[in-house]
Amino acid sequence: MRFFLLPISTKRTLLYCQKLQVLPTSRQTIVDKATVRAAKLWAGWEKKDSGWQKKVVVYGNNLLKRIPYEEWGLKSVPPLSTRRREEEILGKDKNHLIYPESLIPTTKAVNVLRTLGTEREALHRSRLIWCFIGMPISAPVALVPLIPNLPFFYLVYRAWSHWRALAGGKHLQFLCDRNLLSLSPSPVLNSIYSPLLDDSPASKLSTADTEDARPPITKGSNPTEEETMVLSQENGRQLVKALEIPELEVELERAIWQVETGIRKRKEKKAKPPDAEKTK
């Protein structure tokens, strides 16, 4: 597998796991098979011109777009099965950590990955519990004829999503703790990120040594400085093309959109007069 660390802004980094080998059907778990079947069903609904399935897909895709990109990144990491654990310990399954050394120094790369694998663990665990609580509450909707129980299925999906994120995070912790990662600074990523840096003295990404899980990239900056974008949608597409990983495009597009939206909202809130709410 190949793990990519892709800085999105001066304080945010996208994790993406590329699985180089597709498991044969005989080695897939029930969860894997169910995931593939659900993906095919969703793709079939997307092709419909109209009807309730098409409406579900449109609203569903809008909801999926708002799921944090950090969660999608953790979900890209496969759960640590007994077979995979043994293969990784024996060195049969090689794992490469790929990153732009111009932004993330080799001495910090593993810490960045470890932070991304652990910083949202408590959140996913609590959300998973709330999904389980909500499932029996929404289940009676199925008794209404001709109406699909969308709230129940959404909670099922979110529960699965949080579980996968937790499992992906535990897999990352295992790899970091056992020192099973081959560090591979990427000249391709450096060639893309280096022109995006400011003319000021460039810095390396200081990470996870501090309480801030998303530390600054630029040298001399500190966690209190204003966050700025590193990637745009345009150079994100250039990055995907350079890496030759088409499936990464949707992940980068989602992450860039979410981070840009978050920065814009914080700026708007900061620019609003303090007594604006009182005058309403």
Side-chain angles (χ1 to χ4, degrees), residues 158-195:
R158 294 300 289 132
W160 170 84
S161 184
H162 289 303
W163 172 80
R164 276 299 301 264
L166 284 170
K170 290 179 180 178
H171 193 171
L172 294 178
Q173 294 177 55
F174 170 79
L175 294 174
C176 293
D177 292 341
R178 295 296 187 98
N179 195 26
L180 297 175
L181 293 162
S182 176
L183 301 182
S184 304
S186 171
V188 174
L189 291 178
N190 276 338
S191 67
I192 293 174
Y193 276 102
S194 294

Side-chain angles (χ1 to χ4, degrees), residues 197-259:
L197 297 176
D198 295 332
D199 293 332
S200 59
S203 83
K204 308 260 182 171
L205 177 63
S206 70
T207 180
D209 316 307
T210 65
E211 294 179 358
D212 187 354
R214 302 181 205 47
I217 288 177
T218 51
K219 182 182 276 186
S221 61
N222 58 69
T224 62
E225 289 188 356
E226 187 174 351
E227 179 181 7
T228 58
M229 294 297 298
V230 174
L231 283 182
S232 66
Q233 296 291 359
E234 182 179 354
N235 47 49
R237 287 188 288 270
Q238 294 174 357
L239 188 151
V240 171
K241 185 177 180 180
L243 292 176
E244 298 181 347
I245 308 177
E247 58 271 22
L248 176 60
E249 183 171 1
V250 66
E251 305 295 336
L252 266 177
E253 181 182 340
R254 182 192 300 116
I256 293 171
W257 176 78
Q258 289 183 2
V259 176

Side-chain angles (χ1 to χ4, degrees), residues 1 3 17 19 21-23 27 29 32 77-93 95 164 171 174-175 180:
M1 291 184 294
F3 298 91
C17 175
K19 295 172 278 293
Q21 297 179 349
V22 180
L23 288 177
R27 291 183 56 184
T29 64
D32 292 332
V77 182
L80 185 61
S81 63
T82 302
R83 183 197 297 269
R84 182 172 280 116
R85 180 192 296 267
E86 293 175 352
E87 291 178 348
E88 290 176 344
I89 292 176
L90 295 175
K92 295 180 180 180
D93 189 1
N95 298 293
R164 276 299 301 264
H171 193 171
F174 170 79
L175 294 174
L180 297 175

Side-chain angles (χ1 to χ4, degrees), residues 8-27:
I8 302 297
S9 73
T10 51
K11 295 187 179 182
R12 310 291 181 105
T13 298
L14 171 67
L15 162 70
Y16 179 74
C17 175
Q18 182 189 28
K19 295 172 278 293
L20 300 177
Q21 297 179 349
V22 180
L23 288 177
T25 306
S26 59
R27 291 183 56 184

